[in-house]
């Protein structure tokens, strides 16, 4: 009798185990769809070259599960302000001057707000046509989207939104990386050195802090202290004020001839600017001669 009793107790455990395995296998085989993004706030970065021409990017989705889908799976996309609002509150709380922005509607076109994952495949995508010229390197821009429920398709609720970020670059600087140049030279004939970050503005134009001025991340200071370098086809550099700065380009200096060079030394490549100019801030005029150098690592 004792052995029979033990066997009867074991039977429910076997049935429960079989049921758990069945549920587990069902979950493993389910084709749950997710928008492809980073694990951090569901962002995806697209680095767009400033060429004056249209650039094509993609928003993609993937299907999970042990097996590939047996039939086509379609999800619909729609604009979603809520995802961006959540991102801004999480990162910046009430400091609205730091908030990321929606990419202006005249800067992109999504012709088909639909992603199809074909039978037998894992991923699908839809095209985004982008025009990044005119965007500010001081702002963060997103296309904020969410996937909507579609009959026969199960969405991953944690990956059903995407913040598609647009970052700009040109040949000399990128918003996506720390474009930090080493500066050496002289300010009013006093030897000086430091680092300067460049910001892309257009295909052949960058912005940076003038002379030995300190960088501050606010528009008033940027407008007051920043200059623009424009590189022509012959690699001559024209120096201009960004906004409110008083600055004058000084030509005729053989050591600092206002030029850009792509320099190669023992297989290493460098961006090199040789600049001569004078600027006035707070009634003080400074004559600058400087070399800006940054190694190209990619």
């Amino acid at each position: 009798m004792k052995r029979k009793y033990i066997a009867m107790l074991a039977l429910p455990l076997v049935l429960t185990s079989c049921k758990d395995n069945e549920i587990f296998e069902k979950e493993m085989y389910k084709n749950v769809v997710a928008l492809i993004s980073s694990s951090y706030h569901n962002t995806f970065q697209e680095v767009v070259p400033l060429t004056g021409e249209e650039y094509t990017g993609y928003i993609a989705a993937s299907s999970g599960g042990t097996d590939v889908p047996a039939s086509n799976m379609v999800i619909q996309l729609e604009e979603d302000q809520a995802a961006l609002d959540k991102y801004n509150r999480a990162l910046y709380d009430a400091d609205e001057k730091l908030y990321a922005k929606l990419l202006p509607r005249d800067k992109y076109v999504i012709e088909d707000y639909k992603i199809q994952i074909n039978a037998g495949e894992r991923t699908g995508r839809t095209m985004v046509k982008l025009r990044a010229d005119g965007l500010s390197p001081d702002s963060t821009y997103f296309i904020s989207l969410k996937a909507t429920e579609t009959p026969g398709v199960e969405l991953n609720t944690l990956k059903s939104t995407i913040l598609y970020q647009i970052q700009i670059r040109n040949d000399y600087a990128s918003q996506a990386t720390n474009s930090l140049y080493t500066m050496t030279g002289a300010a009013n004939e006093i030897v000086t050195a430091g680092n300067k970050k460049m910001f892309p503005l257009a295909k052949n134009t960058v912005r940076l802090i003038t002379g030995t001025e300190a960088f501050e991340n606010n528009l008033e200071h940027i407008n007051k202290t920043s200059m623009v370098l424009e590189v022509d086809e012959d690699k001559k550099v024209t120096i201009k004020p960004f906004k409110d700065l008083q600055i004058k380009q000084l030509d005729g200096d053989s050591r600092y001839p206002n030029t850009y060079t792509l320099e190669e030394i023992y297989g290493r490549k460098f961006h090199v600017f040789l600049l001569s100019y004078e600027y006035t801030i707070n009634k003080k005029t400074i004559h600058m001669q400087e070399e800006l150098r940054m190694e190209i690592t990619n």
Side-chain angles (χ1 to χ4, degrees):
M1 289 293 294
K2 187 175 182 180
R3 291 180 180 176
K4 186 176 180 181
Y5 180 67
I6 293 173
M8 291 176 67
L9 285 174
L11 183 60
L13 295 175
V14 172
L15 293 174
T16 301
S17 178
C18 290
K19 186 175 181 181
D20 288 343
N21 287 337
E22 182 181 343
I23 293 173
F24 174 74
E25 290 178 3
K26 184 178 179 182
E27 292 291 327
M28 287 287 288
Y29 280 90
K30 281 200 306 184
N31 296 125
V32 180
V33 176
L35 295 177
I36 296 176
S37 63
S38 72
S39 58
Y40 186 64
H41 294 293
N42 290 352
T43 58
F44 182 90
Q45 285 78 37
E46 190 78 71
V47 183
V48 181
L50 296 170
T51 62
E53 299 177 356
E54 189 174 83
Y55 177 88
T56 299
Y58 295 93
I59 295 169
S62 66
S63 170
T66 305
D67 294 334
V68 295
S71 58
N72 294 346
M73 304 178 72
V74 177
I75 61 170
Q76 299 291 332
L77 299 173
E78 63 181 41
E79 307 281 343
D80 179 42
Q81 174 76 42
L84 180 61
D85 292 342
K86 182 179 179 181
Y87 172 92
N88 281 327
R89 287 194 299 270
L91 268 64
Y92 308 117
D93 195 20
D95 195 353
E96 294 187 9
K97 68 178 182 293
L98 298 177
Y99 277 16
K101 304 175 182 179
L102 288 173
L103 185 68
R105 291 305 302 261
D106 63 345
K107 296 296 183 182
Y108 72 99
V109 174
I110 302 174
E111 293 181 347
D112 191 357
Y113 281 78
K114 177 182 70 178
I115 298 176
Q116 178 169 306
I117 301 174
N118 294 326
E121 298 181 5
R122 286 286 187 189
T123 61
R125 64 184 186 178
T126 192
M127 183 185 299
V128 186
K129 297 178 180 179
L130 299 160
R131 285 192 173 274
D133 289 84
L135 295 179
S136 169
D138 304 306
S139 297
T140 302
Y141 298 99
F142 288 112
I143 302 173
S144 185
L145 300 168
K146 70 176 180 180
T148 60
E149 293 289 346
T150 306
V153 178
E154 182 174 346
L155 295 175
N156 180 338
T157 56
L158 297 178
K159 302 290 286 183
S160 62
T161 63
I162 185 170
L163 292 171
Y164 186 81
Q165 184 176 4
I166 310 305
Q167 298 179 305
I168 56 176
R169 69 169 177 84
N170 60 20
D171 288 342
Y172 318 103
S174 173
Q175 194 180 16
T177 59
N178 190 17
S179 301
L180 200 63
Y181 282 70
T182 300
M183 183 270 284
T184 56
N188 287 343
E189 299 184 350
I190 299 173
V191 174
T192 186
N195 295 305
K196 290 188 179 184
K197 186 173 181 179
M198 278 194 190
F199 299 85
L201 294 180
K203 179 180 179 179
N204 63 336
T205 307
V206 294
R207 191 196 76 210
L208 67 159
I209 288 295
T210 303
T212 58
E213 303 303 311
F215 176 78
E216 294 180 19
N217 192 22
N218 69 77
L219 286 178
E220 182 180 355
H221 187 78
I222 290 170
N223 293 343
K224 181 181 177 181
T225 61
S226 293
M227 64 181 181
V228 170
L229 306 180
E230 183 177 310
V231 184
D232 69 16
E233 293 182 356
D234 296 323
K235 307 306 180 185
K236 291 289 293 181
V237 174
T238 300
I239 303 172
K240 303 176 182 179
F242 175 61
K243 294 288 184 180
D244 306 325
L245 178 70
Q246 297 180 44
I247 189 168
K248 178 183 178 182
Q249 177 171 327
L250 301 176
D251 292 318
D253 189 324
S254 60
R255 187 174 178 185
Y256 299 93
N258 293 317
T259 57
Y260 162 79
T261 305
L262 180 60
E263 188 175 289
E264 185 168 352
I265 304 175
Y266 300 113
R268 298 167 64 190
K269 293 183 178 181
F270 297 86
H271 294 301
V272 181
F273 290 85
L274 297 173
L275 308 175
S276 178
Y277 58 92
E278 66 180 21
Y279 69 98
T280 302
I281 292 181
N282 298 327
K283 299 181 179 181
K284 182 180 180 181
T285 299
I286 298 175
H287 177 196
M288 281 296 302
Q289 298 168 302
E290 64 180 286
E291 175 189 281
L292 299 171
R293 175 181 295 266
M294 184 180 74
E295 184 173 3
I296 302 171
T297 57
N298 52 12

